[in-house]
Amino acid sequence: MENIKSNFDKIMEKFNDSLTHSAPKKLNFEYLNDSYNDSGTLPKKRRHDNSQLSCDNVSNASISSIPSSPWETRRIKADLIEAKSRISKLKIEIERQHKLRAEVETLYESKVSELKKQCEFSSNKVQDVEKHLQVVRKREQGAKQELLRTQRELTQQKHHYEEELHKLQRAKLEIEDHSRQVQNSMENELSEYRRHTDKLEMELELVTDEMANLKSLLNEYKAHTSSYEALKIEHEKEQQELEVANSRIKELEYQIASYEDWKEITKKSQTRLLSIPDMDKELERLRTNNKNLQELLGNKLLLEEQVHDLKKRLAREEGGRNEAVALQVKLSHMEQELKEWIKVAQDHCLPNMLVSPMALRSRIEQLLQNDIIMISEKRNTQSETKSVKSELLDYKQKCEIYVKNIEELNVALKKHKNFKDRIQRKLFFVSKERDCYKQLLENFEKDLTFSTANNAADGAAGDVQLRTRLDMLEKTLVGYKDMCSNLEKELTNAKQLPVADQTIENVVSTEVYEHTKKELDTMRLENERLRRRKEELELELEHRCLKGDFNVGKFKVVHFAQNPAAEAYENSNNLIEKLQAEIERLKRRNKKLEEDNEVTQARLNETTNMTINIKEMNQLRAELDATNSKMKKMKECYKSASMEFREVCYLLFGYRIDRLGLNTNYKLSSMYAESPDDYLNFRLNESNHALDMLETPYSVTLKPLIESQLVGNKSLPAFLSALTLELFQRSTVTMS
Amino acid sequence: MSTAQSTKNCITLRGSAQIIVEYLKYGINSILFQRGIYPPETFENTQQYGITILMSKDKKIEEFLANVLQQTEEWLAKNMIEKISMVITNAHTKEVLECWDFKMQAELGDGETTDSTKLTSSKELKRIQSEIRDVMRQISATVSYLPLLDCICTFDVMLYTLQNCEIPEKWDETGAVFIQNAQAVQLRSFSTGLHKVDTVVNYKMAS
């Protein structure tokens, strides 16, 4: 706004100047152009400027050239008036502008005050904010300090961790070294074991070779043993033969000895033979003696038998006597009985007849015969009664039949009687009917005659006649009615009649009826049967229908050719074929395997041996480890023991014995030696187990002692003890 | 609108055949699963008739059923089929173990026309489907009494057609199957108004 104002002021000043000076002057419209560039009045101003310019030019021209004519003055005046009007216009414009300016200024001031207020408010705010900022700064400083502290801590921790890292790295390196060492050692061990296993394998091979050798040897030995056994058997056989021969020889010897005995015996027997005749004589004598004795013996036996017989007889006699007594008793008893019998016979026999058993028998026989006759008679009568009874029964049956017949006949008779009654009644009715018809006929005839006579008679008599006729007719009517009722009755009877007739007929044709009845029954049964059959068939039909039975003639069954079933069948067939082929193959293979069974068996054995070998190897390895560790322990133990032993020897005998190298050399250094170089050297002579003393620089100095003890006494212990004593004395001397 | 109104609840012979073929598709798949003819992992769940039915994923079975059912539909629309048998046999011995018969009986429908090709039925589809659902449930329930199929089994679908029926390509005439010592159980029936379908299972009695 100020800018606008200043610009405007400047313009105004310049304009005023141009007016007041009225000197030809070029106006500067820079500001105007600058400030009113975007205003709507610009084209007008331009025009105005142009006009101004042209006016200026005119004025310039008028000033430069003196007005010469009134036209020109007039023109100038007009111009002037024009300019003046323009000035007034501009002034008005300026005033308007001033007003605007004042308004703008007031607006501006109000705005300034507002801004000032705002400024104050903002300054207050700024102060607050500054205070806050200070607080914040303080906090920031605190935070910074903390940050520093934490950074320091961090660095410390970092250092700490780095150190730790270093340590760990070092540890790691160490571990790596260690592991490498371990690995190396492991590798060494492994190579050792490998070597060991190689060695073992070599040994194994050797052993197997040896085994093979041993086997061959064994076979040889076996052959030897078999030959040896054969030899043995032969030897045994020979021995047996020898024994047999020996026994034979002994037998022969025995025989020889027995022969000599026999010779003696023969001699003796010859002597005995010479004494035979005497002996014969004696023999005969003895024989006779013997015979006598035998005879005596026979006699004695005979006597004994006789005695025995007599004894038996005696016993029998005694028994007989006893029996006789008993029989006598019995006899008396029997006689009594006989008497009784005789009495009985006398009672029964005829008085004139002699009493005897025969008579009694005949009597009894007679009685018996009578008995028999009576029995036969009785039987006859019994049979007769039976026959009579049967006849009676027959008659009874017949009688019953007759009674039945009679009853039937009676029934028939009754029926016939009924029938007869009915027929009679019928007859009666028929005759009545006939009478009736006859009467009717007569009436009609009378009527006819009456009518013919009527024509001749006069009218008065006609009425009477008509009346009588009417009565007559009524009578006949009643008669008809009666007849009607009779006929009706007859009809009812007749209705009943056929049934009766039928029954009669049935009675007559009972057989036919029975037959028909039977037929009916059979038909009925058949009907039942057929019905049942039909029902069964229906059920079956239904069942079949359910089951899927169908009328083959009416329908046909179709199915899709490529159905799963067909596929499955094919697959299964293929599978079966395949399996059969495989079976064949396997069979062949089996055969082959059976043929190569031995080979495979051997192979199998090999494989098992291999596995066993590996197992063995592992076992051996484990054993090796165990033994190695044991050995180490033992070594340590021995070492400590040997050290101890050496120490003890040194303390007891005053010499330290060191073994030098592998040459069985021993170095002796005394406890009392003056320098470590003073030592003796010995060597074990293995041939005669003796120690040879070797020359050392120190031994050279001990010549007299060697000569006195070793050469003279030939004793190493003595020499050593002497040396010890000497050295001891020397040391004590020096000490003292 | 009027034409739509008039055809709203109308089932034609072809439509009836379609319904039956659909039932056969689900029924056969269900039997295949229930009877364990194929391993259960080759089946997947499907919702149909308001129940879950397991359908085979095996491409071969799907193809076979599609072929068979297409022909079945054609013949059913002409009323040339007496019955459809699904036969389960032992794959090795070819012995028939089970036979599921779907017997077709032609019905007159509404009986408005005598022309057999233009018969219609106004039975509601919902009712038909509910009837089918009952049969399907019964099929699932048969597992409880049917003998266990403890061998490798396979199946075939046989159509009992009229004698004058022409045999198309890839189809063969075969003989009827018989089961030794058979036991038959009739399941529920359903009807489309034009076809009545009886489902009967014949199975070999366990000796």
Side-chain angles (χ1 to χ4, degrees), chain A residues 545-550 552-565 567-569 572, chain B residues 60 64 82-83 89 91-92 103 154-157 159 161 163 165 170-172 174 176 186 200 202:
Chain A
C545 226
L546 269 178
K547 260 190 196 175
D549 217 359
F550 77 111
V552 183
K554 206 171 165 189
F555 300 104
K556 60 183 177 185
V557 188
V558 292
H559 71 147
F560 197 65
Q562 287 180 322
N563 54 45
E567 230 167 79
Y569 296 153
S572 72
Chain B
K60 279 186 181 174
F64 167 72
E82 154 81 357
K83 73 171 179 182
T89 53
H92 295 302
K103 294 184 187 172
T154 184
F155 79 104
D156 192 7
V157 177
L159 310 184
T161 62
Q163 280 289 1
C165 178
K170 288 188 183 176
W171 285 72
D172 285 333
T174 179
Q186 172 141 23
V200 181
N202 295 289

Side-chain angles (χ1 to χ4, degrees), chain B residues 60 100 109 147 185:
Chain B
K60 279 186 181 174
W100 291 79
V185 174

